[in-house]
């Protein structure tokens, strides 16, 4: 880490990237590849927040973002918080009404197909773009192309999922293998329960320490001449033809700034006068000491949590909690999911006290915000990647870097522009 210099020279093609999660770090790498002089600022080491605690999946199969449930039975379960997958803070609901209504509308038959089209175009490149960034980065023992399993408790849910998987394969070419009860036991011998069946998604990759992958990308950025700065960002304003960022470690200046602050982006967009339907879905994780170990991540598809084999132990990650990003932790979903997971796998003692808490940065239309800030020349947005920000980092970084440097973007950026709101 370096401190800012006392002189405030604005070099040409200089860019400051705010936030060193997966999104900011990949943006910095891509800008650097295009000849920009880049400073990447975060108040912590790279990859220590949301990009640290996720399930570590590079989700090539996830071409359809999670829609708002529309079946009465499911809505009822969500309302009463009777499952492990959704929890909410009652006090948070009034401020969530607007974004959740938008989320509900975009999940309906009129809008959802367009959302899927725009989302799947990004997901299509996730593995190849990670692969490109991994060139020259040590990812040994960190990344494996193991695929990802959905496990089912009931034959009815399994049969419905098999049908849906067939549809995804036909529409998007996503490869999958249908596993019956014996097939699941063979694929994952550590499971001590007999599952109804499963689906093996063959294209996703699994990362056994997601924070470490971000850190290695950031180390590569620094080795190639990029500047990493550990500082708390306090103010952001236009200065002359460029931008000035005031931090706990002094001022930084550049001709352009990228806001890649993940779940904290909303605070900054509001200050700058933008009204966007942003919200977070919080999520927890807990690690367990070695007991049964899976060969690859496994989703308990009817209960909404993931078990992922990580370097630290088996990591259980929870579904969505609707609460303000900085509200006190309420890890009830960890307790519920742990009870269910123990029916499947021998989990020893929990290792995190308290469980880790993070927040998925979400938008009402399920699409990330990537492109220029409509009313602030030289300011760029890259946030709102929701459930797949770890997957999409390199795609988002490349797209934004191409826009900033005036290259022809490899994906049509129109659906992700901030001006859509
Ligand atoms: C439980 C869970 C499981 C998930 N599983 C997956 C998965 O398997 N696959 C997948 O693709 N995605 C997954 N996700 C989603 C994914 O983790 C996020 O979409 C992604 O990490 C967002 O990256 P980001 O860079 O936008 O945000 P972050 O990683 O949160 O980075 C934002 C950065 O901004 C910094 N920052 C904020 N404010 C300031 C400030 N004032 N000054 C300085 N720095 C600041 C923070 O320190 C942070 O490092 C999961 C999320 C959760 C919660």
């Amino acid at each position: 880490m370096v401190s800012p210099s006392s002189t405030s020279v604005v070099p040409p093609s200089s860019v400051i990237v705010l936030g060193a999660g997966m999104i900011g770090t990949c943006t910095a790498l891509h800008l650097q590849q295009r000849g920009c002089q880049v400073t990447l600022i975060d108040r912590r080491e790279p990859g220590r927040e949301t990009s640290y605690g996720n399930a570590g999946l590079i989700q090539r199969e996830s071409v359809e973002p999670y829609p708002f449930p529309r079946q009465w039975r499911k809505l009822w379960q969500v309302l009463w918080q009777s499952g492990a997958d959704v929890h909410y803070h009652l006090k948070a609901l009034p401020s969530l009404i607007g974004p959740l209504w938008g989320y509900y509308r975009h999940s309906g038959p009129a809008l959802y197909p367009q959302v899927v089209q725009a989302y799947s175009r990004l997901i299509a490149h996730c593995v190849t773009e990670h692969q490109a960034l991994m060139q020259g980065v040590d990812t040994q023992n960190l990344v494996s192309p193991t695929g990802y399993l959905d496990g089912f408790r009931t034959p009815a849910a399994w049969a419905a999922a098999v049908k849906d998987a067939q549809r995804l394969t036909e529409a998007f070419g996503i490869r999958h293998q249908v596993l019956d009860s014996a097939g699941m036991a063979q694929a994952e011998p550590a499971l001590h329960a007999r599952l109804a069946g499963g689906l093996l998604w063959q294209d996703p990759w699994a990362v056994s320490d997601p924070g470490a992958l971000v850190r290695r990308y950031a180390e590569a950025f620094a080795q190639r001449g990029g500047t990493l700065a550990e500082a708390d960002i306090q103010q952001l304003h236009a200065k002359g033809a460029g931008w000035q960022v005031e931090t706990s470690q002094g001022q930084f200046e550049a001709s352009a700034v990228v806001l890649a602050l993940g779940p904290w982006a909303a605070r900054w967009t509001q200050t700058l006068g933008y009204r966007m339907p942003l919200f977070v879905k919080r999520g927890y994780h807990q690690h367990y000491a070695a007991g049964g170990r899976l060969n690859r991540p496994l989703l308990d598809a009817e209960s909404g949590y993931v078990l992922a084999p990580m370097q630290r132990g088996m990591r259980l990650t929870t579904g969505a909690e609707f609460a303000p990003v900085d509200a006190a932790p309420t890890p009830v979903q960890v307790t519920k999911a742990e009870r269910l997971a123990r029916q499947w796998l021998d989990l020893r003692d929990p290792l995190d006290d308290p469980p880790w808490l993070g927040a998925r940065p979400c938008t009402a239309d399920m699409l990330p915000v990537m492109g220029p800030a409509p009313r602030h020349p030289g300011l760029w947005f890259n946030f709102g990647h929701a459930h797949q920000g770890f997957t999409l980092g390199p795609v988002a970084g490349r797209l934004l870097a191409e826009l900033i440097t005036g290259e022809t973007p490899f994906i049509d950026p129109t659906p992700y522009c901030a001006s859509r709101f």
Side-chain angles (χ1 to χ4, degrees):
M1 295 285 168
V2 298
S3 297
S5 73
S6 48
T7 52
S8 317
V9 184
V10 181
S13 306
S14 60
V15 185
I16 296 170
V17 178
L18 306 179
M22 182 55 103
I23 301 296
T25 303
C26 292
T27 308
L29 268 171
H30 270 288
L31 285 164
Q32 181 183 56
Q33 280 178 12
R34 287 161 179 77
C36 298
Q37 192 176 328
V38 185
T39 303
L40 176 59
I41 307 180
D42 202 295
R43 60 188 167 203
R44 305 189 65 182
E45 278 173 41
R48 292 301 298 174
E49 290 286 355
T50 330
S51 300
Y52 161 82
N54 56 62
L57 279 159
I58 299 176
Q59 287 189 268
R60 177 64 186 89
E61 89 299 347
S62 199
V63 285
E64 298 185 329
Y66 295 108
F68 196 100
R70 292 190 146 236
Q71 311 80 0
W72 280 111
R73 223 171 123 225
K74 184 69 199 168
L75 282 170
W76 193 248
Q77 190 203 359
V78 168
L79 191 67
W80 292 105
Q81 307 186 81
S82 53
D85 51 349
V86 179
H87 185 247
Y88 58 84
H89 288 191
L90 207 56
K91 274 207 277 193
L93 292 186
S95 64
L96 283 170
I97 286 173
L100 289 187
W101 172 241
Y103 183 17
Y104 179 80
R105 272 192 333 109
H106 283 89
S107 303
L111 297 175
Y112 191 61
Q114 295 157 47
V115 172
V116 168
Q117 201 185 42
Y119 202 73
S120 59
R121 248 187 251 146
L122 299 173
I123 291 286
H125 300 277
C126 67
V127 170
T128 44
E129 289 301 318
H130 263 288
Q131 255 177 315
L133 281 197
M134 283 172 195
Q135 296 297 320
V137 173
D138 176 18
T139 56
Q140 238 194 346
N141 304 324
L142 202 56
V143 184
S144 4
T146 54
Y148 161 46
L149 272 174
D150 287 353
F152 296 87
R153 291 169 181 262
T154 61
W158 179 47
V162 167
K163 215 168 137 194
D164 208 43
Q166 193 53 42
R167 178 184 65 78
L168 288 183
T169 297
E170 281 160 20
F172 300 99
I174 307 296
R175 294 181 306 142
H176 74 278
Q177 194 184 340
V178 177
L179 300 177
D180 61 9
S181 188
M184 280 300 282
Q186 203 180 2
E188 295 295 347
L191 288 173
H192 57 229
R194 203 75 181 162
L195 272 55
L199 283 171
L200 172 62
W201 300 103
Q202 292 154 300
D203 299 313
W205 286 15
V207 179
S208 60
D209 183 347
L213 182 61
V214 181
R215 203 171 58 241
R216 292 197 196 166
Y217 283 163
E219 283 163 4
F221 163 77
Q223 278 157 14
R224 295 168 197 166
T227 302
L228 278 176
E230 199 169 313
D232 189 25
I233 301 150
Q234 292 164 343
Q235 278 196 45
L236 169 65
H237 41 80
K239 188 178 176 204
W243 282 84
Q244 185 175 69
V245 181
E246 290 177 27
T247 77
S248 55
Q249 303 298 316
Q251 292 174 351
F252 295 81
E253 291 186 12
S255 36
V257 170
V258 178
L259 208 146
L261 294 169
W264 295 276
R267 185 196 136 194
W268 295 90
T269 53
Q270 275 162 19
T271 307
L272 290 158
Y274 294 98
R275 289 169 65 85
M276 294 188 211
L278 306 179
F279 64 103
V280 298
K281 291 186 195 171
R282 304 203 309 180
Y284 298 83
H285 85 214
Q286 175 63 275
H287 287 96
Y288 298 88
R293 191 164 171 90
L294 299 172
N295 293 322
R296 56 183 70 73
L298 167 68
L299 169 74
D300 182 341
E302 288 162 82
S303 311
Y305 66 88
V306 172
L307 283 167
M310 294 279 168
Q311 287 177 2
R312 187 165 148 73
M314 282 303 301
R315 179 181 286 187
L316 181 156
T317 61
T318 66
E321 182 180 62
F322 294 90
V325 64
D326 49 3
T330 48
V332 292
Q333 287 165 291
V334 175
T335 312
K336 287 184 183 179
E338 179 182 318
R339 204 176 304 133
L340 291 160
R342 286 188 188 282
Q343 295 170 359
W344 283 10
L345 201 64
D346 174 21
L347 297 173
R348 304 263 162 89
D349 294 336
L351 299 176
D352 303 302
D353 185 20
W356 173 86
L357 167 63
R360 302 168 181 94
C362 299
T363 62
D365 63 5
M366 292 166 271
L367 296 176
V369 182
M370 303 187 287
R375 296 191 297 280
H376 293 86
L379 176 64
W380 299 81
F381 292 154
N382 207 353
F383 51 78
H385 301 80
H387 289 259
Q388 273 88 36
F390 186 73
T391 297
L392 288 174
V395 175
R398 176 172 168 190
L399 180 61
L400 200 77
E402 287 174 345
L403 291 171
I404 293 174
T405 56
E407 273 177 53
T408 306
F410 77 125
I411 297 169
D412 175 10
T414 317
Y416 324 108
C417 277
S419 54
R420 71 186 190 266
F421 295 119

